Protein backbone atom coordinates (compact mmCIF):
# COMPACT_ATOMS: atom_id res chain seq x y z
CA UNK A 1 0.00 0.00 0.00
CA UNK A 2 0.98 3.68 0.06
CA UNK A 3 2.08 3.62 3.71
CA UNK A 4 5.43 2.40 4.97
CA UNK A 5 6.12 -0.21 7.63
CA UNK A 6 6.41 1.41 11.04
CA UNK A 7 7.08 -1.45 13.43
CA UNK A 8 7.38 -5.24 13.37
CA UNK A 9 6.79 -7.62 16.29
CA UNK A 10 7.95 -11.21 16.72
CA UNK A 11 5.33 -13.78 17.71
CA UNK A 12 5.79 -17.45 18.60
CA UNK A 13 4.14 -20.64 19.77
CA UNK A 14 5.49 -23.93 21.04
CA UNK A 15 4.44 -27.10 19.18
CA UNK A 16 1.88 -27.22 16.39
CA UNK A 17 -1.08 -27.21 18.77
CA UNK A 18 0.24 -24.32 20.88
CA UNK A 19 -1.24 -20.85 21.13
CA UNK A 20 0.38 -17.88 19.40
CA UNK A 21 1.72 -15.15 21.69
CA UNK A 22 3.83 -12.03 21.43
CA UNK A 23 7.45 -12.55 22.45
CA UNK A 24 7.31 -9.14 24.19
CA UNK A 25 10.56 -8.19 22.51
CA UNK A 26 10.79 -4.54 21.53
CA UNK A 27 9.14 -3.97 18.13
CA UNK A 28 11.65 -3.02 15.47
CA UNK A 29 11.30 -0.17 12.98
CA UNK A 30 12.12 -0.34 9.28
CA UNK A 31 11.80 -2.89 6.51
CA UNK A 32 14.08 -5.59 7.90
CA UNK A 33 15.91 -6.57 11.07
CA UNK A 34 16.91 -9.33 13.48
CA UNK A 35 15.34 -10.52 16.73
CA UNK A 36 17.16 -12.46 19.44
CA UNK A 37 14.83 -14.80 21.29
CA UNK A 38 15.50 -17.28 24.10
CA UNK A 39 12.80 -20.00 24.34
CA UNK A 40 11.30 -20.04 27.83
CA UNK A 41 9.21 -23.21 27.63
CA UNK A 42 11.98 -25.76 27.33
CA UNK A 43 12.93 -28.07 24.48
CA UNK A 44 10.56 -28.62 21.59
CA UNK A 45 9.49 -27.22 18.23
CA UNK A 46 8.97 -23.46 18.17
CA UNK A 47 7.00 -21.67 15.46
CA UNK A 48 7.64 -18.02 14.60
CA UNK A 49 5.89 -15.26 12.72
CA UNK A 50 6.31 -11.52 12.39
CA UNK A 51 3.45 -9.05 12.71
CA UNK A 52 3.88 -5.54 11.28
CA UNK A 53 2.13 -2.22 11.67
CA UNK A 54 2.29 0.43 8.94
CA UNK A 55 2.68 4.17 9.41
CA UNK A 56 -1.06 4.62 8.97
CA UNK A 57 -1.69 2.47 12.05
CA UNK A 58 -2.96 -0.62 10.21
CA UNK A 59 -1.97 -3.87 11.88
CA UNK A 60 -1.21 -7.15 10.19
CA UNK A 61 -3.46 -10.02 11.26
CA UNK A 62 -2.29 -12.15 14.17
CA UNK A 63 -0.32 -15.27 13.14
CA UNK A 64 -2.22 -18.45 12.35
CA UNK A 65 -1.45 -22.09 11.57
CA UNK A 66 2.33 -22.71 11.34
CA UNK A 67 3.37 -19.07 10.85
CA UNK A 68 6.47 -18.16 8.87
CA UNK A 69 9.18 -20.51 10.17
CA UNK A 70 9.95 -23.11 12.80
CA UNK A 71 12.97 -24.57 14.58
CA UNK A 72 13.66 -27.46 16.90
CA UNK A 73 15.01 -26.14 20.20
CA UNK A 74 17.21 -28.85 21.74
CA UNK A 75 19.53 -28.42 24.72
CA UNK A 76 20.13 -32.12 25.47
CA UNK A 77 23.43 -33.57 24.18
CA UNK A 78 23.37 -36.92 22.41
CA UNK A 79 24.71 -40.04 24.12
CA UNK A 80 28.38 -40.85 23.60
CA UNK A 81 28.83 -43.31 20.73
CA UNK A 82 29.41 -46.98 21.47
CA UNK A 83 32.56 -48.16 19.73
CA UNK A 84 34.77 -51.11 18.84
CA UNK A 85 38.20 -50.94 17.29
CA UNK A 86 40.93 -53.14 15.83
CA UNK A 87 44.49 -52.46 14.66
CA UNK A 88 46.39 -54.16 11.86
CA UNK A 89 50.02 -53.06 11.58
CA UNK A 90 49.82 -49.25 11.30
CA UNK A 91 46.10 -49.11 10.42
CA UNK A 92 43.25 -48.75 12.89
CA UNK A 93 39.56 -49.32 12.23
CA UNK A 94 37.01 -47.79 14.61
CA UNK A 95 33.36 -48.69 14.20
CA UNK A 96 30.50 -47.36 16.25
CA UNK A 97 26.82 -46.79 16.77
CA UNK A 98 25.16 -43.53 17.78
CA UNK A 99 21.80 -41.99 18.62
CA UNK A 100 19.44 -41.25 15.75
CA UNK A 101 19.69 -37.51 16.42
CA UNK A 102 23.47 -37.52 15.98
CA UNK A 103 24.54 -35.39 13.01
CA UNK A 104 28.34 -35.59 13.27
CA UNK A 105 30.93 -37.86 14.89
CA UNK A 106 34.20 -36.06 15.67
CA UNK A 107 37.40 -38.14 15.88
CA UNK A 108 40.48 -36.00 16.57
CA UNK A 109 39.00 -33.24 14.46
CA UNK A 110 37.86 -35.47 11.59
CA UNK A 111 34.13 -35.08 11.00
CA UNK A 112 32.10 -38.16 10.08
CA UNK A 113 28.60 -37.20 9.03
CA UNK A 114 25.96 -39.61 10.29
CA UNK A 115 22.65 -37.87 9.57
CA UNK A 116 19.96 -40.54 9.12
CA UNK A 117 22.52 -43.23 10.01
CA UNK A 118 23.21 -44.91 13.36
CA UNK A 119 26.36 -46.82 12.34
CA UNK A 120 29.69 -45.44 11.16
CA UNK A 121 33.28 -46.49 10.39
CA UNK A 122 36.57 -44.61 10.68
CA UNK A 123 39.89 -45.73 9.15
CA UNK A 124 43.11 -44.15 10.45
CA UNK A 125 46.87 -44.50 10.33
CA UNK A 126 48.82 -45.06 13.55
CA UNK A 127 51.91 -43.09 14.41
CA UNK A 128 54.89 -44.64 16.19
CA UNK A 129 54.28 -44.73 19.94
CA UNK A 130 51.10 -43.95 21.86
CA UNK A 131 48.04 -43.05 19.78
CA UNK A 132 44.92 -41.41 21.23
CA UNK A 133 41.57 -41.10 19.46
CA UNK A 134 39.07 -38.75 21.11
CA UNK A 135 35.53 -39.43 19.94
CA UNK A 136 32.38 -37.39 20.50
CA UNK A 137 28.93 -37.00 18.97
CA UNK A 138 27.19 -33.75 18.04
CA UNK A 139 23.52 -33.30 17.20
CA UNK A 140 21.93 -30.91 14.75
CA UNK A 141 21.46 -28.26 17.44
CA UNK A 142 25.19 -28.23 18.21
CA UNK A 143 25.05 -30.14 21.52
CA UNK A 144 28.13 -32.31 22.08
CA UNK A 145 28.30 -35.59 23.99
CA UNK A 146 30.92 -36.55 26.53
CA UNK A 147 34.19 -37.54 24.88
CA UNK A 148 35.34 -41.13 24.94
CA UNK A 149 38.93 -42.06 24.11
CA UNK A 150 40.72 -44.98 22.49
CA UNK A 151 44.36 -45.57 23.35
CA UNK A 152 46.62 -47.88 21.36
CA UNK A 153 50.38 -48.26 21.05
CA UNK A 154 52.15 -48.89 17.76
CA UNK A 155 55.74 -50.00 17.33
CA UNK A 156 56.87 -50.51 13.71
CA UNK A 157 58.33 -53.92 12.96
CA UNK A 158 61.89 -53.23 11.78
CA UNK A 159 63.52 -56.50 12.82
CA UNK A 160 63.71 -59.47 10.47
CA UNK A 161 62.35 -62.91 11.34
CA UNK A 162 64.47 -65.81 12.58
CA UNK A 163 64.60 -69.22 10.93
CA UNK A 164 66.62 -72.37 11.28
CA UNK A 165 67.16 -75.38 9.02
CA UNK A 166 67.79 -78.90 10.35
CA UNK A 167 69.22 -81.80 8.31
CA UNK A 168 70.76 -85.16 9.21
CA UNK A 169 74.56 -85.26 9.31
CA UNK A 170 74.68 -87.78 6.45
CA UNK A 171 72.54 -88.29 3.41
CA UNK A 172 72.37 -89.70 -0.12
CA UNK A 173 69.97 -88.93 -2.92
CA UNK A 174 67.29 -86.39 -2.16
CA UNK A 175 67.88 -84.47 1.08
CA UNK A 176 65.00 -83.58 3.40
CA UNK A 177 65.55 -80.35 5.29
CA UNK A 178 63.18 -79.36 8.10
CA UNK A 179 62.88 -75.71 9.02
CA UNK A 180 61.12 -73.44 11.51
CA UNK A 181 60.64 -69.67 11.43
CA UNK A 182 59.35 -67.04 13.85
CA UNK A 183 58.93 -63.29 14.16
CA UNK A 184 58.43 -61.25 17.31
CA UNK A 185 56.00 -58.74 15.82
CA UNK A 186 54.70 -59.74 12.38
CA UNK A 187 53.73 -62.98 10.70
CA UNK A 188 56.30 -64.85 8.65
CA UNK A 189 55.35 -64.50 4.99
CA UNK A 190 57.83 -66.84 3.31
CA UNK A 191 61.02 -68.82 3.92
CA UNK A 192 63.73 -69.65 1.39
CA UNK A 193 66.34 -72.38 1.52
CA UNK A 194 69.96 -71.41 0.87
CA UNK A 195 73.00 -73.65 0.63
CA UNK A 196 76.72 -73.75 0.06
CA UNK A 197 79.26 -76.51 -0.58
CA UNK A 198 82.47 -76.78 1.32
CA UNK A 199 85.63 -75.44 -0.17
CA UNK A 200 84.89 -71.75 0.06
CA UNK A 201 81.89 -71.75 -2.23
CA UNK A 202 79.54 -68.77 -1.64
CA UNK A 203 76.00 -69.10 -0.31
CA UNK A 204 73.33 -69.46 -3.00
CA UNK A 205 69.56 -69.59 -3.10
CA UNK A 206 68.22 -73.06 -3.94
CA UNK A 207 65.68 -71.34 -6.14
Amino acid sequence: NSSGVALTELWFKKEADGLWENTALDPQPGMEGTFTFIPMYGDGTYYFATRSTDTAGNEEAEPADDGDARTIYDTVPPASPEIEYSADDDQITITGTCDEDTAVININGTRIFTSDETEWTYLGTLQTGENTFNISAKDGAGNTSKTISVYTYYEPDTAGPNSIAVIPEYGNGELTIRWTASDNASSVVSTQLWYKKEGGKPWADTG
Side-chain angles (χ1 to χ4, degrees):
N1 57 40
S2 59
S3 302
V5 175
L7 296 171
T8 297
E9 302 169 331
L10 179 66
W11 286 56
F12 82 102
K13 70 174 182 176
K14 185 186 178 191
E15 308 303 348
D17 58 354
L19 298 177
W20 285 99
E21 59 183 287
N22 192 329
T23 61
L25 296 172
D26 290 338
Q28 295 187 5
M31 302 293 290
E32 62 181 46
T34 301
F35 289 101
T36 300
F37 174 74
I38 300 177
M40 70 284 286
Y41 298 143
D43 290 3
T45 301
Y46 284 77
Y47 295 76
F48 295 91
T50 51
R51 187 184 184 206
S52 297
T53 302
D54 65 20
T55 54
N58 301 301
E59 293 183 331
E60 185 178 359
E62 292 187 2
D65 300 324
D66 290 344
D68 300 329
R70 66 180 179 180
T71 188
I72 298 174
Y73 186 66
D74 176 14
T75 61
V76 179
S80 298
E82 297 183 4
I83 65 165
E84 295 181 354
Y85 71 95
S86 61
D88 183 9
D89 195 23
D90 66 343
Q91 299 296 303
I92 186 170
T93 301
I94 303 175
T95 58
T97 58
C98 57
D99 284 353
E100 291 183 356
D101 66 342
T102 298
V104 174
I105 296 291
N106 283 300
I107 302 181
N108 289 359
T110 297
R111 292 160 60 88
I112 301 175
F113 291 91
T114 64
S115 295
D116 301 323
E117 300 289 341
T118 57
E119 298 181 355
W120 50 271
T121 299
Y122 167 84
L123 302 177
T125 299
L126 299 174
Q127 304 299 315
T128 300
E130 186 72 41
N131 290 260
T132 302
F133 296 90
N134 296 314
I135 307 166
S136 62
K138 180 181 288 188
D139 63 21
N143 303 302
T144 301
S145 71
K146 292 182 178 179
T147 298
I148 57 176
S149 299
V150 169
Y151 303 96
T152 186
Y153 189 86
Y154 170 63
E155 184 66 40
D157 181 11
T158 58
N162 297 307
S163 63
I164 185 170
V166 180
I167 188 172
E169 186 175 359
Y170 297 97
N172 57 38
E174 189 176 83
L175 302 177
T176 299
I177 297 97
R178 294 187 301 106
W179 61 271
T180 59
S182 63
D183 189 272
N184 289 332
S186 304
S187 300
V188 176
V189 175
S190 64
T191 300
Q192 300 169 311
L193 178 64
W194 287 56
Y195 78 99
K196 74 172 182 176
K197 188 173 183 296
E198 61 189 3
K201 298 294 184 178
W203 282 98
D205 188 346
T206 59

